[in-house]
Amino acid sequence: MAPLMWLLRHRPACTKLVLPWYYKIGKHVPATVFSQKRKDWDPKRGFLVTSPSFEFFSGMLKCVAHVDGVTFTSFYLPQKVEDRIQNLVLKAEPQKLLVGETLHLMCAAETFVNGRIVFDWKFPRGKMHKPVITLDRSEPVYKATSNVTIQNASMEDRGLYVCRGQIANNTRKDPETNITVTVYREPFLKLSYKKEQNYEAKAGQKMLRLAWKVDAFPRPDVTWYKDSSPIAENSSCYELDPLKYRLVIRDLRAKHAGNYTISLSNAKHGLYESLTSRLVVWGKHLVKLAHSAACFSAAAFRANQEQRADVGQALCLPGAQKHDWCRQKGW
């Protein structure tokens, strides 16, 4: 148990601790001199009692001092002080924001009965803010919070925020946590191709990801289109991932070939961007235009389509002036 200390300022020096009364197993026990061996007297500070026994907290204490033949007494009711602190966390809402917006910071920790947590803040660039402290004692585990609200945030408010939880008589290192807050001068939206502008795949391929590179704040709304028609979020043909700005196609078929457009919008700040990628799907009996291939018109292909229904759909090279269908010689 942590040491206990009495501060006896503006009072005569206390030279003896007495237990004037206490209860033990339901019986009243007369006053006795406190017999704690590990106690040290400091006239400027008081008694320092190390590892007090249960007897110490059983009743009231009386401090007796004698000065020039005059006896002075003071009474104290000992109370065990909790020195445990746990689950220190620091949250920022939002962690990224624009100049002029409001930033809320909350540092929280837990202790137990008679525990009192003191929160020590460090703000970027030495700025000072007044926190609001709350303590919830409705449960055996006390929950203490320190809340800081920064109105009309500026670029000076970006950076590292540190919160340290301190508790009385804690002989261990005080726990500490931190969080980095980002402040942007203005909103932005940038969209570019992540790898390739156009994609090629073979019919029967298990999976293909179409991805774009996005740098934006705040996060924009995302909509995908295939050949100018919106792709529904619950589509059974596609898996949409707006958080990573990618579209996943599984079990590729000829019907998946076409133009795919990603459209980003931030209506509040008037920001809009879009890009289109073309997907070419080669069928089992179709190959890309090369020296061993010959091209024939789409009309000829359609005429032959009913007889060869298993032939996958594919376009020729992206740079072709006219969309032709290709096949191997002798097919």
Side-chain angles (χ1 to χ4, degrees):
M1 185 176 296
L4 297 178
M5 176 69 69
W6 283 269
L7 299 179
L8 306 175
R9 298 173 183 173
H10 311 297
R11 295 176 183 241
C14 178
T15 58
K16 181 171 61 175
L17 281 177
V18 177
L19 292 173
W21 55 265
Y22 63 93
Y23 289 92
K24 184 175 182 181
I25 315 178
K27 296 181 180 181
H28 182 269
V29 179
T32 59
V33 177
F34 181 60
S35 60
Q36 178 72 25
K37 294 181 179 180
R38 299 181 62 184
K39 65 179 185 293
D40 299 312
W41 168 250
D42 182 346
K44 295 182 180 180
R45 304 180 66 190
F47 273 109
L48 176 62
V49 182
T50 305
S51 301
S53 63
F54 173 78
E55 176 189 55
F56 191 85
F57 298 97
S58 299
M60 186 176 294
L61 282 174
K62 180 172 69 173
C63 179
V64 181
H66 303 279
V67 180
D68 297 330
V70 180
T71 301
F72 297 88
T73 59
S74 299
F75 293 89
Y76 302 91
L77 184 63
Q79 187 179 48
K80 179 182 177 182
V81 179
E82 179 61 63
D83 65 349
R84 289 176 293 174
I85 182 173
Q86 63 186 26
N87 298 332
L88 179 70
V89 295
L90 176 57
K91 297 180 180 179
E93 182 61 38
Q95 192 171 348
K96 295 182 179 181
L97 67 160
L98 295 171
V99 167
E101 295 182 337
T102 300
L103 172 63
H104 298 281
L105 296 158
M106 183 190 73
C107 190
E110 296 176 344
T111 185
F112 300 87
V113 177
N114 294 333
R116 298 295 183 270
I117 299 176
V118 177
F119 294 97
D120 180 28
W121 287 87
K122 290 183 180 179
F123 300 101
R125 297 163 186 83
K127 299 185 71 174
M128 300 298 295
H129 300 280
K130 185 177 180 180
V132 178
I133 310 298
T134 62
L135 178 62
D136 181 3
R137 295 182 291 182
S138 60
E139 301 291 338
V141 178
Y142 289 4
K143 295 178 174 61
T145 60
S146 177
N147 297 277
V148 174
T149 300
I150 301 176
Q151 304 282 355
N152 194 27
S154 68
M155 295 298 293
E156 296 297 313
D157 294 310
R158 73 188 189 279
L160 185 68
Y161 288 78
V162 180
C163 177
R164 179 184 293 109
Q166 300 174 327
I167 194 165
N169 299 324
N170 181 18
T171 58
R172 300 177 295 273
K173 183 179 179 180
D174 295 326
E176 180 179 292
T177 184
N178 62 75
I179 192 170
T180 300
V181 173
T182 303
V183 181
Y184 296 105
R185 294 185 184 276
E186 57 186 17
F188 56 91
L189 177 56
K190 299 178 182 178
L191 174 63
S192 59
Y193 294 106
K194 191 171 185 178
K195 294 182 179 180
E196 299 179 357
Q197 178 176 348
N198 298 310
Y199 295 83
E200 295 182 1
K202 294 181 180 179
Q205 184 173 321
K206 294 298 182 182
M207 182 181 65
L208 177 68
R209 291 188 181 91
L210 307 183
W212 294 265
K213 184 178 179 180
V214 178
D215 186 17
F217 186 83
R219 178 174 287 275
D221 295 325
V222 185
T223 305
W224 281 275
Y225 298 86
K226 180 182 183 297
D227 297 330
S228 301
S229 297
I231 300 176
E233 293 184 2
N234 59 352
S235 172
S236 59
C237 298
Y238 306 97
E239 295 179 11
L240 310 182
D241 189 349
L243 295 180
K244 296 183 178 180
Y245 305 102
R246 68 184 184 188
L247 183 151
V248 179
I249 308 174
R250 297 187 183 276
D251 298 325
L252 276 82
R253 297 290 182 266
K255 64 178 182 179
H256 293 130
N259 294 322
Y260 290 85
T261 301
I262 181 173
S263 177
L264 307 179
S265 62
N266 186 331
K268 180 179 179 180
H269 300 287
L271 301 176
Y272 303 90
E273 290 287 345
S274 64
L275 281 178
T276 299
S277 295
R278 187 170 67 175
L279 171 61
V280 176
V281 179
W282 302 105
K284 296 180 180 179
H285 300 285
L286 298 178
V287 297
K288 187 166 58 175
L289 182 63
H291 293 293
S292 60
C295 292
F296 60 98
S297 67
F301 178 84
R302 287 193 295 270
N304 196 35
Q305 190 174 10
E306 294 181 358
Q307 298 178 4
R308 301 301 301 265
D310 62 331
V311 176
Q313 183 180 3
L315 296 173
C316 282
L317 291 175
Q321 298 296 322
K322 182 174 64 175
H323 291 171
D324 291 330
W325 298 98
C326 302
R327 64 170 182 175
Q328 288 182 329
K329 289 182 179 181
W331 175 74

